[in-house]
Amino acid sequence: SFTNSFDNEVEILKSRTLAKKVITDLGLYVTHAKTNSFGYSTPLYKNTPIQVYMSPEEADKLPSGVSIKMDYDGEKNLIVDLEYSILEEKVNLNAAFSELPAAMPTDIGVFTFTPDTTITEKEAVKLEAYVVTPQTCAENYCANMTVAPTSKTTTIAQINIKNTIKERGVDFINHLVEVYNQDANDEKNEVAQKTAEFIEQRISIINEELGTTESELASFKQRSRLTNLTSDAQIALQENSHYEQQ
């Protein structure tokens, strides 16, 4: 029924598969924060002085979450302290860079550090970043998201999400809808393409069968020495006319 169809679409919107696509596209599996002198951290989104990046393919294979602490002088110098676990054993790595952007190869993948050139006020700052697998991040977003009809008689879904940064939550929802619509269009195009291919295949088979039938019919006439009655009648009329003229 129509209601069941709407319920199915709601479940798709809530799915981890769709959420993971959004997380991967927006790079939300890497989070940033500024470490304050009072012992707490302020979440950062698009305004982080240093952008930490790891490819989603490598992030998918992480053995654990990766904690990154950074000391940045606001110019070109960056000190990095990286920590993660393998089989419950902690691994600590350190690096110092005097030129940015910089790359830090490790056994679990490559981390890159890029300064935000749009920030005009250069100041020394302590930063944090945390990297998780896109799947883990998707599960977290799904756990904090609700998708429900606005009323019992409508087919309009309302999406809500809890997030520490409002702009990030808005970006997630907007891109979720974009990916959902794109997937729906891709599915329709795939069905249309397969339908067109099926029709072309059937037409080809029918044309082949018709060609074979016509060929067999002509061959049968020839073998049976059957004549075309219309042609014979025309010949007879022509001969009769010729006789009358004589």
Side-chain angles (χ1 to χ4, degrees):
S1 67
F2 190 78
T3 302
N4 289 336
S5 177
F6 178 72
D7 290 341
N8 290 337
E9 297 306 310
V10 168
E11 290 303 315
I12 292 173
L13 280 167
K14 293 163 59 178
S15 70
R16 295 175 184 176
T17 301
L18 203 65
K20 185 179 178 181
K21 288 183 181 180
V22 177
I23 296 297
T24 300
D25 289 349
L26 300 181
L28 299 181
Y29 55 92
V30 182
T31 55
H32 300 79
K34 177 182 179 181
T35 307
N36 298 299
S37 56
F38 300 104
Y40 66 93
S41 299
T42 302
L44 300 174
Y45 182 38
K46 295 179 179 178
N47 58 335
T48 178
I50 297 291
Q51 184 76 40
V52 178
Y53 175 78
M54 181 184 217
S55 73
E57 293 78 17
E58 289 184 321
D60 261 330
K61 301 173 184 177
L62 286 175
S64 72
V66 181
S67 174
I68 304 172
K69 297 185 183 299
M70 296 167 281
D71 281 333
Y72 179 47
D73 70 350
E75 297 293 338
K76 294 182 178 180
N77 297 298
L78 178 70
I79 299 174
V80 176
D81 181 17
L82 188 148
E83 182 180 297
Y84 60 92
S85 298
I86 296 181
L87 299 176
E88 298 184 356
E89 183 176 341
K90 287 187 177 182
V91 178
N92 285 93
L93 299 172
N94 300 286
F97 304 102
S98 56
E99 291 290 337
L100 295 172
M104 184 177 177
T106 71
D107 290 340
I108 58 174
V110 179
F111 296 86
T112 60
F113 306 89
T114 306
D116 186 347
T117 56
T118 63
I119 297 178
T120 55
E121 295 182 6
K122 304 294 184 180
E123 62 176 357
V125 64
K126 291 183 181 295
L127 302 167
E128 301 172 13
Y130 197 68
V131 187
V132 298
T133 66
Q135 182 64 32
T136 299
C137 188
E139 291 172 359
N140 179 267
Y141 270 74
C142 287
N144 288 281
M145 178 177 62
T146 59
V147 182
T150 53
S151 71
K152 293 182 178 180
T153 58
T154 187
T155 55
I156 300 174
Q158 180 174 337
I159 306 172
N160 295 301
I161 192 164
K162 295 178 182 178
N163 200 279
T164 54
I165 300 177
K166 181 180 178 180
E167 184 183 6
R168 184 168 58 196
V170 170
D171 286 349
F172 174 84
I173 291 175
N174 286 339
H175 197 57
L176 181 74
V177 174
E178 289 176 7
V179 173
Y180 167 80
N181 288 333
Q182 185 60 53
D183 282 1
N185 288 334
D186 290 345
E187 185 177 351
K188 289 178 182 177
N189 290 337
E190 184 179 356
V191 171
Q193 180 64 29
K194 289 183 178 179
T195 301
E197 291 174 357
F198 174 77
I199 292 173
E200 289 179 3
Q201 185 181 20
R202 293 304 303 165
I203 290 175
S204 176
I205 293 173
I206 291 171
N207 286 338
E208 185 178 344
E209 291 175 348
L210 286 175
T212 302
T213 302
E214 291 174 357
S215 176
E216 290 177 349
L217 180 59
S219 177
F220 173 76
K221 283 183 175 182
Q222 192 174 21
R223 290 196 308 270
S224 303
R225 296 181 180 178
L226 296 178
T227 58
N228 189 309
L229 297 180
T230 303
S231 297
D232 291 348
Q234 289 177 348
I235 292 172
L237 286 173
Q238 290 172 359
E239 289 179 349
N240 185 47
S241 175
H242 181 67
Y243 174 78
E244 289 177 353
Q245 287 176 3
Q246 290 179 342

